[in-house]
């Protein structure tokens, strides 16, 4: 590995070029920060140095502070490990130093990297360099003075927007805003930066300290109004997350009491936020997502992924067209096969245009162009990559087939028997099934080493998760190839084992069942939804069920009741709703709940579009859903039929107990998934729960959250409820063992059998 270091070279022009070496993104590790202080001090003291240029090695300025330090602080709670960068380095050594400094920015300057550049007296950038302060996405906020300097350079409103959204901008926009002083070709970056630094030193260009600028802040009343609006917005968009409001308060401190006081408050609040549960959860997800790329006996045995140039997608429905879109946008040749011309035409149109035949509207290629997310020329190229087909004649040279038809076992078995015969021997045979055991799908084939699950989440061209399902016979090469495809199409591939529902749907199947048990125990349906939404999921289970249609719930129930009959609850409510003429409502579905289990069944099973708009809620265009109280007599009839209320009377539960009675059974099933080795590591379930099920990322994922709550409390609660309400709540052996021994649920198992995800 290349050494982590900071170098300094002094030219004959009197400019000291200080460079950061810490590949791949020149993260500001503690040795780097110490090295910067040392070299800057040396440059300041040397008589042959007139000015300083700060840059990064390898075409990247800096990706920001080393997040590994956060992990160490989270482990021991000791914030003294966090170096004093803001005051000691950026203010005292750099900005208030005796010699001017220019930041020469190429590639990226993010987080602490950009904050170092803000502490310089000018910033020169190469074209298309990324600039941003994404710290809020990790549960903290800019901690090296960014909350104070950015508003003074680009104006308060835009600075607040960049920090609240954590989205980067390009150097071209930075130039327009005043963040960047000049944009020059990469080949001239150092030359221009050196001259700019000399010009400052010799008085030809202004020596500007951004912390002391006030001209772009505006009046105090204007600032108060901007921050008031920002507070109201984040209360709606960033519930349960303290860092956004904390950041606004720190910005306000600097506006009222001056930039330096703002820097001092920033440093204190930053350390407080590092220790918050939110930061712990978000940092955990950050590292967990990166860990998914390491799969034992796949990525560590010397194999290299093969090139996948051409993919056939069978089925042009919502899932199939979405998968085809994703592949085409990554410059992969796609063959989209359907059973007749009408369906094929619809599938091709869906790739190009908006889904107009369903009332939740999502767009593929044309929608991306309309929202300026995709240039027209790239859209045209993507569309040219897709060819329609009604037979297998174009399958003779495909590298992969992805079957995306309805969840019908005989149909899938027939397709796999056919494609095995017509595809080349190296071709990967993948299915997008969300639930069906892969061994059943491929039982009539002989090429079982090539059969694999490629479970996309709907809408496939937007949702980031790709669940890669392996059987005991799937080859490591096929897994590695599909992982590479997943990364190429900008998905997060997670390798899991084969079982009913796989990792994601299997873990979350108790979610809606727990909600139905609560309703039949007498708890108000709308109160349940409110509490789950307050916890951080996009919506409650009943609104979700409403929006996907009740046929979905029937399909879900059958699948999991067959596989896990010992712990399923059969609620009379769904059948009663259907008999009363209520089928649910698809309107407004996207994007709030596109990631939940039931939606997967909507797409895969062909239920979407069959609903009539009647459910638990009233849906009117342009307004939020309102409870439909005419559903209450139906709920009362369900309670009478279920007959599980103790003594025939509704139970009394707190808001916290509502959340726990719905989510603790999910944790319990996650324990079974861990015990059976369906995932490589517990953190993989955290990633899939966040990216596939919209479990709040700031809670760190389902297993991380469970460890925060404590296995003991979860076990005792489930045991109590199982004695009161039945086997649905019965604690798993894994949970009981961990709770009894005081072992975190996320701790690796030393006694479990070989992981199905590692075979």
């Amino acid at each position: 590995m290349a050494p982590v270091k900071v170098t300094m070279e002094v030219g004959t022009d009197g400019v000291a070029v200080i460079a950061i070496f810490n590949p791949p993104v020149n993260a500001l590790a503690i040795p780097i920060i110490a090295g910067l202080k040392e070299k800057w001090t040396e440059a300041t003291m040397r008589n042959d140095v007139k000015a300083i240029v700060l840059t990064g090695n390898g075409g990247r300025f800096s990706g920001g502070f080393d997040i590994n330090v956060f992990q160490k602080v989270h482990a021991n709670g000791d914030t003294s490990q966090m170096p004093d960068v803001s005051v000691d380095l950026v203010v005292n050594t750099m900005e208030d130093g005796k010699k001017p400094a220019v930041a020469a920015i190429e590639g990226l300057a993010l987080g602490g990297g950009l904050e170092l550049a803000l502490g310089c007296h000018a910033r020169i950038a190469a074209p298309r360099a990324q600039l941003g302060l994404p710290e809020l996405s990790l549960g903290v906020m800019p901690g090296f003075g960014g909350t104070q300097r950015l508003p003074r350079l680009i104006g308060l409103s835009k600075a607040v927007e960049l920090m609240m959204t954590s989205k980067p901008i390009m150097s071209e926009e930075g130039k327009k805003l005043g963040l960047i002083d000049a944009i020059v070709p990469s080949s001239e970056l150092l030359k221009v930066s050196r001259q700019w630094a000399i010009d400052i030193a010799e008085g030809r260009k202004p020596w500007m300290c951004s912390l002391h600028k006030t001209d772009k802040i505006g009046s105090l009343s204007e600032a108060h109004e901007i921050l008031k609006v920002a507070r109201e917005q984040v209360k709606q968009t960033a519930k349960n997350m303290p860092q956004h409001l904390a950041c606004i308060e720190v910005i306000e401190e600097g506006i009222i009491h001056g930039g330096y006081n703002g820097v001092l408050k920033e440093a204190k609040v930053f350390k407080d936020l590092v220790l918050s549960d939110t930061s712990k959860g978000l940092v955990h997800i950050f590292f967990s997502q990166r860990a998914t790329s390491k799969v034992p006996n796949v990525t560590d045995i010397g194999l290299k992924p093969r090139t996948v140039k051409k993919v056939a997608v069978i089925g042009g429905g919502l899932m199939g067209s979405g998968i085809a879109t994703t592949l085409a946008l990554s410059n992969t040749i796609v063959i989209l096969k359907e059973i007749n011309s009408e369906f094929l035409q619809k599938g091709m149109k869906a790739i190009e245009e908006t889904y107009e035949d369903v009332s939740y509207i999502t767009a593929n290629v044309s929608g991306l162009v309309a929202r300026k997310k995709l240039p027209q020329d790239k859209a045209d190229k993507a569309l040219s990559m897709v060819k329609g087909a009604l037979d297998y004649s174009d399958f003779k040279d495909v590298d992969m087939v992805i079957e995306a038809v309805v969840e019908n076992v005989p149909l899938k078995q027939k397709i796999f028997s056919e494609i095995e015969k017509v595809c080349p021997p190296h071709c990967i045979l993948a299915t997008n099934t969300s639930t069906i055991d892969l061994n059943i799908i491929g039982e009539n084939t002989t090429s079982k080493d090539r059969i694999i699950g490629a479970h996309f989440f709907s809408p496939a061209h937007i949702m980031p998760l790709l669940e890669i399902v392996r059987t005991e016979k799937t080859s490591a090469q096929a897994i590695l190839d599909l992982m590479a495809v997943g990364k190429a199409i900008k998905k997060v591939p997670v390798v899991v084992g084969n079982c009913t529902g796989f990792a994601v749907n299997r873990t979350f199947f108790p979610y809606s069942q727990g909600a139905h048990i609560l309703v039949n125990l007498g708890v108000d349906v709308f109160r349940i939804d409110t509490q789950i939404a307050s916890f951080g999921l996009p919506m409650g289970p009943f609104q979700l069920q409403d929006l996907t249609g009740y046929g979905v719930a029937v399909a879900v129930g059958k699948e999991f009741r067959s596989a896990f009959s010992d712990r399923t609850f059969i609620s009379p409510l769904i059948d009663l709703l259907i008999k009363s003429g209520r089928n649910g409502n698809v309107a407004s579905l996207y994007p709030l709940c596109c990631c939940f289990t039931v939606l997967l069944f909507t797409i895969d099973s062909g239920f979407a579009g069959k609903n009539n708009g009647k459910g638990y809620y009233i849906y009117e265009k342009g307004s939020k859903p309102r409870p439909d109280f005419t559903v209450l007599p139906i709920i009362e009839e369900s309670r009478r039929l279920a007959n599980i209320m103790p003594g025939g009377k509704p139970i009394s539960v707190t808001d916290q107990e509502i959340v726990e009675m719905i989510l603790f059974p999910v944790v319990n099933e996650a324990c079974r998934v861990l015990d059976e080795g369906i995932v490589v590591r517990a953190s993989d379930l955290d990633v899939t729960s966040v990216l596939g099920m919209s479990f709040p990322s700031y809670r760190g994922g389902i297993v991380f959250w469970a460890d925060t709550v404590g296995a003991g409390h979860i076990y005792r609660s489930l045991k109590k409820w199982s004695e009161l309400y039945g086997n649905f709540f019965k604690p798993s052996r894994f949970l009981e063992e961990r709770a009894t021994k005081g072992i975190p649920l996320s701790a690796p198992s030393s006694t479990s059998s070989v992981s199905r995800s590692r075979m």
Side-chain angles (χ1 to χ4, degrees):
M1 291 181 62
V4 175
K5 62 182 179 179
V6 176
T7 64
M8 183 176 73
E9 293 182 1
V10 180
T12 56
D13 56 359
V15 175
V17 176
I18 297 176
I20 301 168
F21 285 74
N22 189 10
V25 295
N26 293 323
L28 301 175
I30 290 177
I32 293 291
I33 292 168
L36 286 170
K37 175 73 182 296
E38 177 190 337
K39 297 301 181 184
W40 219 281
T41 301
E42 180 186 342
T44 302
M45 295 176 64
R46 283 178 58 161
N47 294 329
D48 60 338
V49 174
K50 297 178 182 179
I52 299 167
V53 168
L54 176 64
T55 190
N57 182 58
R60 293 180 173 90
F61 186 77
S62 174
F65 185 62
D66 183 3
I67 305 171
N68 289 290
V69 179
F70 289 167
Q71 275 193 318
K72 294 175 183 176
V73 173
H74 293 162
N76 57 32
D78 181 12
T79 58
S80 67
Q81 298 173 83
M82 304 287 295
D84 180 5
V85 179
S86 186
V87 175
D88 187 44
L89 176 60
V90 183
V91 174
N92 295 343
T93 305
M94 295 172 59
E95 191 170 44
D96 290 349
K98 297 177 181 179
K99 296 176 181 177
V102 173
I105 301 170
E106 188 176 10
L108 50 78
L110 301 175
L114 180 59
E115 291 179 279
L116 289 184
L118 296 177
C120 294
H121 305 103
R123 285 149 296 281
I124 314 300
R128 304 287 298 170
Q130 288 188 69
L131 313 170
L133 297 177
E135 287 91 340
L136 270 70
S137 65
L138 291 173
V140 292
M141 67 180 186
F144 299 169
T147 62
Q148 307 305 309
R149 292 185 180 86
L150 191 62
R152 287 165 170 76
L153 283 172
I154 69 172
L156 181 59
S157 182
K158 188 64 178 180
V160 169
E161 177 192 329
L162 291 182
M163 284 184 269
M164 293 300 111
T165 62
S166 294
K167 292 181 179 178
I169 59 173
M170 292 300 176
S171 50
E172 288 77 6
E173 184 177 354
K175 173 69 167 61
K176 293 177 183 178
L177 293 171
L179 176 58
I180 298 299
D181 293 285
I183 296 177
V184 300
S186 295
S187 58
E188 298 180 22
L189 182 60
L190 275 181
K191 176 185 174 182
V192 173
S193 299
R194 296 176 83 116
Q195 185 58 52
W196 202 289
I198 288 293
D199 287 346
I200 296 175
E202 296 179 355
R204 290 187 294 275
K205 289 190 183 296
W207 189 319
M208 191 273 293
C209 296
S210 56
L211 190 61
H212 307 309
K213 279 173 61 69
T214 57
D215 57 299
K216 289 196 175 182
I217 293 295
S219 68
L220 196 59
S221 61
E222 289 172 334
H224 276 309
E225 184 60 31
I226 290 170
L227 295 179
K228 177 184 176 183
V229 171
R231 283 190 175 95
E232 292 304 314
Q233 288 177 338
V234 301
K235 285 177 183 177
Q236 297 299 318
T237 60
K239 294 177 181 178
N240 303 330
M241 289 189 280
Q243 69 270 29
H244 295 76
L245 289 175
C247 184
I248 293 171
E249 289 175 8
V250 167
I251 294 170
E252 189 172 51
E253 173 77 14
I255 290 171
I256 296 173
H257 299 293
Y260 186 71
N261 284 319
V263 164
L264 294 178
K265 182 166 184 176
E266 178 195 82
K268 179 183 181 302
V269 176
F270 177 80
K271 286 191 174 183
D272 292 340
L273 288 172
V274 170
L275 290 176
S276 68
D277 287 341
T278 300
S279 177
K280 292 175 183 176
L282 289 169
V283 169
H284 171 74
I285 283 295
F286 177 88
F287 283 107
S288 297
Q289 186 169 321
R290 280 144 187 81
T292 60
S293 63
K294 298 177 181 178
V295 181
N297 301 321
V298 174
T299 59
D300 57 356
I301 58 176
L303 292 176
K304 292 184 178 181
R306 298 172 296 188
T307 302
V308 175
K309 295 181 179 179
K310 186 175 182 180
V311 177
V313 178
I314 300 177
L318 295 180
M319 282 304 297
S321 61
I323 294 168
T325 301
T326 303
L327 291 163
L329 288 170
S330 67
N331 296 321
T332 302
I333 299 171
V334 180
I335 304 298
L336 182 68
K337 182 186 179 298
E338 260 295 358
I339 57 173
N340 59 49
S341 298
E342 179 187 354
F343 286 175
L344 180 59
Q345 185 177 1
K346 286 182 178 179
M348 296 295 284
K349 184 179 179 183
I351 294 171
E352 182 178 357
E353 299 180 356
T354 304
Y355 293 135
E356 296 173 347
D357 57 335
V358 289
S359 52
Y360 66 95
I361 299 177
T362 179
N364 281 13
V365 175
S366 66
L368 294 171
V369 174
R371 298 197 307 275
K372 297 183 178 179
K373 296 291 182 70
L374 185 70
Q376 186 63 52
D377 60 334
K378 290 188 177 179
D380 293 339
K381 183 178 180 181
L383 292 173
S384 71
M385 305 293 284
V386 184
K387 178 183 177 182
L390 296 175
D391 55 37
Y392 293 122
S393 58
D394 288 311
F395 281 47
K396 60 183 179 296
D397 59 348
V398 296
D399 301 305
M400 179 183 297
V401 176
I402 301 176
E403 168 271 306
V405 302
V406 295
E407 296 284 65
N408 179 299
V409 171
L411 176 59
K412 289 179 184 287
Q413 289 177 333
K414 178 176 180 290
I415 288 172
F416 269 75
S417 294
E418 292 171 348
I419 60 178
E420 182 185 32
K421 296 172 184 175
V422 299
C423 294
H426 74 277
C427 178
I428 297 168
L429 310 178
T431 173
N432 181 56
T433 181
S434 59
T435 308
I436 302 171
D437 188 314
L438 267 61
N439 289 323
I440 296 174
I441 292 175
E443 70 177 19
N444 297 328
T445 66
T446 59
S447 305
K448 293 181 171 55
D449 60 322
R450 294 191 279 148
I451 293 178
I452 194 167
H455 181 206
F456 289 80
F457 288 70
S458 183
H461 61 295
I462 294 175
M463 292 298 287
L465 181 63
L466 173 60
E467 192 177 32
I468 296 177
V469 187
R470 66 183 301 177
T471 71
E472 295 179 5
K473 295 183 178 179
T474 306
S475 72
Q477 186 67 60
I479 298 166
L480 190 68
D481 292 347
L482 187 50
M483 290 177 69
V485 170
K487 291 175 184 177
I489 60 177
K490 297 180 174 60
K491 303 298 181 188
V492 178
V494 180
V495 177
V496 304
N498 181 38
C499 65
T500 299
F502 316 131
V504 183
N505 291 351
R506 161 82 181 274
T507 297
F508 276 82
F509 93 83
Y511 173 76
S512 61
Q513 296 207 357
H516 274 271
I517 288 176
L518 277 175
V519 165
N520 283 290
L521 284 171
V523 182
D524 179 65
V525 64
F526 305 115
R527 183 184 173 204
I528 292 170
D529 273 1
T530 297
Q531 294 312 311
I532 291 298
S534 295
F535 176 81
L537 285 154
M539 63 180 64
F542 295 102
Q543 187 184 354
L544 176 65
Q545 210 165 70
D546 237 6
L547 300 181
T548 55
Y550 303 146
V552 174
V554 173
V556 171
K558 287 179 180 177
E559 288 285 345
F560 289 108
R561 190 158 62 244
S562 174
F564 311 115
S565 59
D566 61 319
R567 52 184 185 276
T568 52
F569 172 72
I570 304 173
S571 173
L573 183 53
I574 294 296
D575 284 341
L576 290 173
L577 288 166
I578 293 172
K579 288 175 182 176
S580 72
R582 296 171 188 258
N583 294 321
N585 174 31
V586 177
S588 306
L589 177 60
Y590 178 79
L592 289 178
C593 61
C594 56
C595 40
F596 282 77
T597 301
V598 288
L599 179 57
L600 303 175
F601 280 85
T602 304
I603 303 304
D604 295 342
S605 305
F607 286 105
K610 294 184 178 180
N611 310 307
N612 62 9
K614 297 179 181 179
Y616 301 100
Y617 293 84
I618 297 170
Y619 300 89
E620 295 174 345
K621 192 173 183 179
S623 62
K624 293 181 178 180
R626 293 181 290 110
D628 184 353
F629 296 111
T630 63
V631 79
L632 296 181
I634 301 173
I635 293 174
E636 285 301 322
E637 176 64 10
S638 175
R639 289 168 179 163
R640 186 188 68 80
L641 293 173
N643 193 29
I644 62 172
M645 288 191 293
K649 296 181 179 180
I651 65 170
S652 175
V653 289
T654 65
D655 291 343
Q656 179 179 331
E657 286 173 324
I658 288 174
V659 172
E660 292 179 347
M661 290 183 78
I662 291 174
L663 292 181
F664 283 5
V666 175
V667 173
N668 201 26
E669 198 62 35
C671 288
R672 295 186 179 97
V673 168
L674 292 173
D675 194 30
E676 294 172 23
I678 301 300
V679 290
V680 174
R681 55 187 73 83
S683 63
D684 286 357
L685 270 185
D686 290 327
V687 172
T688 57
S689 68
V690 170
L691 299 184
M693 291 292 171
S694 284
F695 192 86
S697 58
Y698 57 82
R699 297 193 187 276
I702 188 68
V703 182
F704 185 90
W705 172 73
D707 275 339
T708 303
V709 173
H713 174 60
I714 296 171
Y715 169 71
R716 290 188 296 272
S717 299
L718 287 170
K719 191 170 187 297
K720 177 183 72 175
W721 298 329
S722 68
E723 292 167 355
L724 291 170
Y725 311 123
N727 278 345
F728 173 77
F729 293 105
K730 184 179 179 181
S732 65
R733 183 196 62 79
F734 183 93
L735 174 61
E736 181 178 9
E737 180 182 290
R738 293 297 172 102
T740 303
K741 296 181 179 179
I743 303 172
L745 299 179
S746 57
S749 178
S750 58
T751 58
S752 66
S753 58
V754 177
S755 170
R756 292 193 208 176
S757 58
R758 300 185 186 205
M759 289 178 179

